[in-house]
């Protein structure tokens, strides 16, 4: 559903993302009339009561049919905190230091990080995971952050760091 178009947010029908015309990727949901008096309630059914969805097609592929997952449907991985892998010997282990020597971030082989900011040791500590060039952080305070390795640099929270 192109809810922006349905709410009048697109000037021309040709701009509608979900217009069912040749060449456009199909996205639509079919829900019982009794549960979908308006667009907001239809979206709520899709997100909160998938068993009530008669059909859901996303990017031209069936996702739900008669309230059940379509066989061989691609699904998102289960939401969970992954186990830390052993990163002993990884070239990304060590202390990363930003260009102004303000931020020092130590990545250890057991999947932990420890940041010193502005000379304050242990300003942030927590767990991290590396997937390709992306690094995800779960701070011990409970918030998530991420960064990206680009060549020999680590980009995180507006900082550009190199191994010290």
């Amino acid at each position: 559903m192109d809810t922006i178009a349905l709410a009048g947010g697109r000037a021309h029908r040709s701009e509608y993302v979900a217009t069912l015309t040749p060449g456009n990727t199909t996205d639509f949901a079919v829900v019982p009339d009794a549960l979908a008096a308006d667009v907001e309630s239809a979206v709520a059914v899709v997100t909160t009561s998938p068993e009530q969805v008669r059909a859901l097609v996303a990017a031209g592929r069936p996702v739900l049919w008669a309230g059940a997952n379509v066989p061989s449907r691609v699904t998102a991985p289960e939401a969970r905190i992954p186990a830390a892998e052993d990163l002993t010997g990884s070239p990304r282990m060590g202390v990363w230091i930003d260009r102004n020597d303000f931020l020092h971030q130590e990545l250890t082989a057991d999947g932990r990080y420890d940041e010193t900011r502005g000379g304050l040791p242990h300003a942030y500590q927590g767990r991290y995971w590396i997937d390709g060039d992306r690094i995800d952080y779960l701070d011990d305070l409970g918030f998530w952050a991420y960064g990206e390795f680009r060549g020999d640099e680590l980009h995180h929270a507006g900082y550009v760091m190199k191994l010290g």
Side-chain angles (χ1 to χ4, degrees):
M1 287 184 262
D2 185 350
T3 54
I4 294 171
L6 292 172
R10 300 197 194 281
H12 304 285
R13 283 185 49 84
S14 61
E15 297 173 348
Y16 289 16
V17 174
T19 301
L20 296 175
T21 58
N24 282 0
T25 303
T26 304
D27 297 294
F28 68 89
V30 177
V31 297
D33 286 344
L35 300 175
D38 54 28
V39 173
E40 288 178 3
S41 57
V43 171
V45 170
V46 171
T47 58
T48 63
S49 303
E51 71 282 356
Q52 295 294 326
V53 176
R54 305 305 3 126
L56 176 63
V57 175
R61 296 177 183 254
V63 177
L64 296 173
W65 195 262
N69 286 333
V70 172
S72 72
R73 161 190 173 187
V74 176
T75 58
E78 179 185 338
R80 62 181 175 79
I81 297 173
E85 60 181 289
D86 181 0
L87 297 168
T88 302
S90 169
R92 293 178 168 162
M93 296 305 96
V95 179
W96 292 82
I97 303 170
D98 82 305
R99 295 174 178 156
N100 298 318
D101 199 35
F102 175 82
L103 173 65
H104 295 211
Q105 185 182 88
E106 182 178 12
L107 301 179
T108 59
D110 62 354
R112 300 277 306 163
Y113 72 92
D114 189 347
E115 285 188 9
T116 297
R117 289 196 180 208
L120 176 65
H122 317 301
Y124 295 100
Q125 296 176 308
R127 298 168 58 184
Y128 73 90
W129 299 267
I130 296 174
D131 184 11
D133 289 331
R134 181 182 168 109
I135 181 169
D136 291 282
Y137 305 90
L138 174 55
D139 193 83
D140 290 344
L141 296 173
F143 66 86
W144 288 88
Y146 69 92
E148 182 180 17
F149 294 99
R150 297 182 195 158
D152 65 346
E153 297 177 334
L154 171 56
H155 294 246
H156 166 66
Y159 294 96
V160 178
M161 298 174 274
K162 289 192 175 249
L163 271 173

